[in-house]
Amino acid sequence: MCGIVGYIGKNQAQPILISCLARLEYRGYDSSGIAVAGDRIKVFKDSIRVNELAKVLPEIEATAGIGHTRWATHGEPSRINAHPHCDCTGDIAVVHNGVINNFQQLREQLIAEGHQLVSETDTEVLPHLIEKHYQGNLETAVEAALLEVKGSYAIVVLKKDEGKLVVARKDSPLIIGVGDRENFVASDVPAILDYTNRVIYLDDGDTAVITEDAIKVRHGGAEVTKQEQQVSWSVEDAQKGGYEHFMIKEIHEQPKVIRDTLGEYIALAEPIVDFKALSGEPLEDILFIACGTSYHAALVGKYLIEELVSIPARVELASEFNSYHLPLRGTGIVAITQSGETADTLNAMKRLKGAGKKVIVINNVVSSSASRLADQTINTMAGPEISVAATKSFTAQLMALYWLALSYSKVDISQLDNLVTALRQLPRKVQEILDNEAVIVECAKYLSKYENVFFIGRGLNFPVALEGALKLKEVAYIHAEGYSAGELKHGSFALLSADTPVIAIATPDRTYEAMLTSIKEVKARKSPVIALVEEDDVNIGELADMVITVPRIDAIFSPVVNSVALQLLAYYTAKHRGCPIDTPRNLAKSVTVE
Ligand code: AGP
């Protein structure tokens, strides 16, 4: 959570910091602030969004500065708690993403030594520790300060008259953007794409000293050489491109995402994963670990593995994984994470790695922390996903899971051929849904009047019900529960009434008859029903109050088309309700705290 940026170079820092910060708002947006270095450090910050900060900033001549957009962990969103934070002299300013676990102890120690700390944040101890250790060299002071710190951090430090930025990372992402007589620092690549696509990825334990024309990376006190990389994401990828919100742009990108992700896998000469070569043991079962939307993708993955590969698969929430037994020999372990920075997922991966297990990650961000921790990465080709609500990355994860299951599939060759043919048709099928969204817009208008909604599905579409409910909660602020259709009668029927619509996912598969029964039971309790059915369905039209149709597709791929329809439903419902769709309250794109 939180986005941090830094700039030093030939241009004025202030407008660059603001434009980089605006691209990082998906990481947190309850406060923002910048500090620039002139004859003294000048700090401007408040509990306001970046565009509002830009309006109230005076013009300041300075060619070096740092910036922050906050997702509050320690202390409410307020001016005093917003970053940057300064030392007693006001000469050192720090922006931080992460959590300092021992901040209370450090704070008490610093106060006893005469430092005045004014905020409730954990971050504020950092500038004071750096001040304490400063003896004429900023990088040495930063390294000494960080030796006292327990926790996670990506930081950028600015000091009056030094002509440099000092940065450091441990368990929080940080990249350096390389320019021509100017250099950039950011939590994530989209922040700097307007200025450069040349990037240096920092590793845990790295510090770097950055000036206008030099970048010196250090590790363990010694200088290390880092390779510069060219990122393939373009500026357009990180812009709205004429759409009103990133969420709808990203929903519309899905035909391309499916094509790109599948294209990547189809072109591979090797199998997508060779579990046996990796662990030295024959594959007996699979363990998936993930959070949120990625967890829902994993639930679809479990179904695919059991159906197509005929081995057991289990799915664990990464945040719960510490309470569970470690897997045995022969278990293929697959973590799924869009950002590759989710703390819960990283912690679960570290626990597994610590026990000597091999871990594969399905990940959308090249060189993310998860990717560097994993023994093998399956990249998804969704491109940068800016809206907090995951949409295209979910579809790309499903593509990875289909390919994984198909590459180990025990079905006969002609069935396999049919499945691959159907898989290749998915971009066209998804496009059909996007081209015919009018009915979904009507359903959304209807749904937007309600405060409680159930999503029901069975089998492969039970995770789709969970994902549909998560999307609606997240962007439209409607209480929604995803339920297995068969489970609803075991208690939750008590909540059904004319005021509680039920979205029933009833595309044809082996659970179709049971879904028909569930819909009848729901109607008997007077709940309005919006049914998601395949085109030409003849049974459900007369039962349901409203019907959304999706194109015909082999049942095993129905989660893709059904999810896209439910993403549109959530988007347009949120739009009718006037919600801030890309930046829902209390949330942030990557959850880098436990
Ligand atoms: C869903 O829309 C969310 N943004 C959220 O549930 C997300 O999927 C979760 O935080 C996991 O993120 P990751 O895939 O980046 O690990």
Side-chain angles (χ1 to χ4, degrees):
M1 320 297 225
C2 301
I4 65 176
V5 297
Y7 175 80
I8 186 159
K10 61 190 177 200
N11 291 310
Q12 289 302 315
Q14 186 181 319
I16 294 175
L17 292 171
I18 290 293
S19 84
C20 293
L21 274 186
R23 294 222 186 282
L24 276 190
E25 265 201 323
Y26 63 89
R27 299 183 66 87
Y29 33 83
D30 55 40
S31 322
S32 57
I34 64 163
V36 289
D39 51 346
R40 59 189 178 86
I41 298 284
K42 292 179 184 150
V43 177
F44 304 91
K45 59 181 190 174
D46 214 333
S47 53
I48 52 179
R49 301 284 292 252
V50 175
N51 63 340
E52 293 159 342
L53 179 75
K55 284 185 209 147
V56 298
L57 280 180
E59 254 186 52
I60 317 147
E61 295 273 312
T63 55
I66 59 179
H68 190 269
T69 177
R70 180 172 187 242
W71 185 83
T73 56
H74 295 66
E76 59 168 6
S78 67
R79 200 191 73 74
I80 213 95
N81 288 334
H83 299 215
H85 289 283
C86 289
D87 68 328
C88 296
T89 63
D91 289 346
I92 299 171
V94 175
V95 286
H96 166 227
N97 171 33
V99 175
I100 309 295
N101 296 330
N102 60 337
F103 87 99
Q104 196 56 43
Q105 178 205 331
L106 290 169
R107 187 183 159 89
E108 282 162 20
Q109 191 183 304
L110 285 161
I111 290 171
E113 288 166 5
H115 291 259
Q116 286 187 334
L117 283 82
V118 293
S119 78
E120 299 162 88
T121 66
D122 54 338
T123 301
E124 200 186 2
V125 298
L126 292 170
H128 289 272
L129 283 174
I130 296 166
E131 176 190 12
K132 175 176 151 182
H133 288 283
Y134 187 78
Q135 288 175 341
N137 182 298
L138 186 59
E139 50 272 36
T140 317
V142 170
E143 285 171 357
L146 291 175
L147 287 177
E148 296 197 41
V149 165
K150 294 195 178 85
S152 58
Y153 50 79
I155 59 169
V156 193
V157 185
L158 180 70
K159 187 173 183 311
K160 188 185 93 168
D161 295 335
E162 290 266 341
K164 61 182 156 192
L165 303 174
V166 177
V167 308
R169 77 156 273 179
K170 180 176 165 281
D171 294 334
S172 290
L174 196 61
I175 57 124
I176 300 172
V178 185
D180 171 25
R181 284 192 40 236
E182 59 182 351
N183 290 309
F184 306 80
V185 186
S187 298
D188 205 353
V189 170
I192 56 160
L193 284 174
D194 278 331
Y195 304 99
T196 183
N197 66 351
R198 295 161 56 200
V199 168
I200 292 173
Y201 293 96
L202 291 180
D203 286 305
D204 280 345
D206 285 349
T207 56
V209 181
I210 303 169
T211 58
E212 179 176 315
D213 44 23
I215 297 162
K216 289 193 177 139
V217 182
R218 293 149 61 91
H219 194 101
E223 207 169 308
V224 290
T225 311
K226 288 270 168 181
Q227 288 307 320
E228 190 184 301
Q229 298 186 28
Q230 290 240 339
V231 290
S232 56
W233 291 355
S234 67
V235 187
E236 294 71 36
D237 286 337
Q239 288 173 342
K240 281 189 201 150
Y243 287 93
E244 191 177 349
H245 298 99
F246 278 109
M247 184 177 177
I248 190 70
K249 176 189 177 229
E250 288 161 4
I251 290 173
H252 276 259
E253 283 171 345
Q254 289 177 109
K256 178 176 183 304
V257 166
I258 296 172
R259 243 177 259 120
D260 289 352
T261 304
L262 276 181
E264 176 91 355
Y265 305 152
I266 290 168
L268 288 177
E270 307 287 314
I272 193 162
V273 173
D274 188 341
F275 285 104
K276 185 146 186 267
L278 200 64
S279 65
E281 295 152 10
L283 181 66
E284 288 178 11
D285 60 350
I286 298 260
L287 165 66
F288 290 108
I289 301 159
C291 302
T293 292
S294 299
Y295 172 78
H296 298 153
L299 290 173
V300 176
K302 169 186 160 65
Y303 184 98
L304 298 176
I305 294 292
E306 295 191 342
E307 180 77 6
L308 296 174
V309 191
S310 304
I311 58 170
R314 79 181 228 241
V315 184
E316 302 294 1
L317 285 166
S319 55
E320 289 290 322
F321 187 67
N322 263 339
S323 327
Y324 294 117
H325 287 299
L326 285 166
L328 304 171
R329 293 167 68 87
T331 299
I333 301 164
V334 182
I336 307 180
T337 166
Q338 185 282 133
S339 61
E341 304 296 344
T342 302
D344 291 327
T345 308
L346 291 175
N347 288 344
M349 289 174 73
K350 283 177 193 162
R351 180 169 178 240
L352 288 156
K353 294 286 298 167
K357 305 286 174 189
K358 301 291 181 192
V359 180
I360 288 154
V361 68
I362 296 176
N363 180 220
N364 192 44
V365 178
V366 174
S367 280
S368 69
S369 301
S371 170
R372 276 180 282 171
L373 194 57
D375 297 280
Q376 190 187 325
T377 300
I378 300 176
N379 288 311
T380 52
M381 310 304 286
E385 189 175 67
I386 310 289
S387 182
V388 165
T391 53
K392 61 176 181 171
S393 63
F394 175 71
T395 299
Q397 289 167 347
L398 293 186
M399 289 307 114
L401 292 162
Y402 282 117
W403 204 251
L404 182 67
L406 286 173
S407 45
Y408 277 83
S409 173
K410 302 237 169 72
V411 300
D412 67 48
I413 191 75
S414 69
Q415 201 187 339
L416 194 61
D417 277 352
N418 289 342
L419 288 173
V420 174
T421 305
L423 196 56
R424 287 174 186 270
Q425 289 170 356
L426 273 174
R428 188 164 48 79
K429 303 281 178 178
V430 168
Q431 192 60 53
E432 280 178 43
I433 300 172
L434 300 173
D435 293 343
N436 296 294
E437 60 174 31
V439 174
I440 300 179
V441 176
E442 270 314 295
C443 290
K445 195 169 170 191
Y446 171 79
L447 203 59
S448 63
K449 304 187 298 256
Y450 292 93
E451 291 306 324
N452 297 290
V453 176
F454 279 97
F455 285 72
I456 57 171
R458 285 175 188 258
L460 191 55
N461 278 299
F462 168 42
V464 175
L466 296 175
E467 176 58 11
L470 178 60
K471 286 289 93 85
L472 193 71
K473 280 187 272 214
E474 191 176 16
V475 299
Y477 303 163
I478 292 176
H479 170 231
E481 292 199 41
Y483 247 82
S484 150
E487 190 63 17
L488 202 61
K489 58 186 177 293
H490 297 290
S492 301
F493 261 26
L495 292 174
L496 295 186
S497 73
D499 294 328
T500 315
V502 174
I503 322 289
I505 304 164
T507 46
D509 60 19
R510 65 174 84 110
T511 71
Y512 181 77
E513 294 301 326
M515 275 308 295
L516 272 182
T517 307
S518 298
I519 292 172
K520 284 179 190 158
E521 288 169 358
V522 165
K523 279 306 299 173
R525 271 87 194 164
K526 304 213 168 2
S527 282
V529 169
I530 300 178
L532 195 65
V533 302
E534 195 177 82
E535 57 195 5
D536 304 331
D537 185 288
V538 288
N539 299 310
I540 294 181
E542 57 202 48
L543 287 176
D545 298 82
M546 297 182 101
V547 167
I548 297 171
T549 56
V550 292
R552 174 161 303 162
I553 187 92
D554 190 298
I556 205 154
F557 300 117
S558 60
V560 179
V561 288
N562 292 345
S563 300
V564 173
L566 295 185
Q567 291 165 0
L568 287 169
L569 185 67
Y571 173 79
Y572 284 110
T573 307
K575 214 173 148 198
H576 281 301
R577 288 167 69 96
C579 297
I581 294 178
D582 286 332
T583 49
R585 68 184 172 215
N586 304 334
L587 297 180
K589 184 73 179 161
S590 7
V591 188
T592 55
V593 291
E594 278 175 59

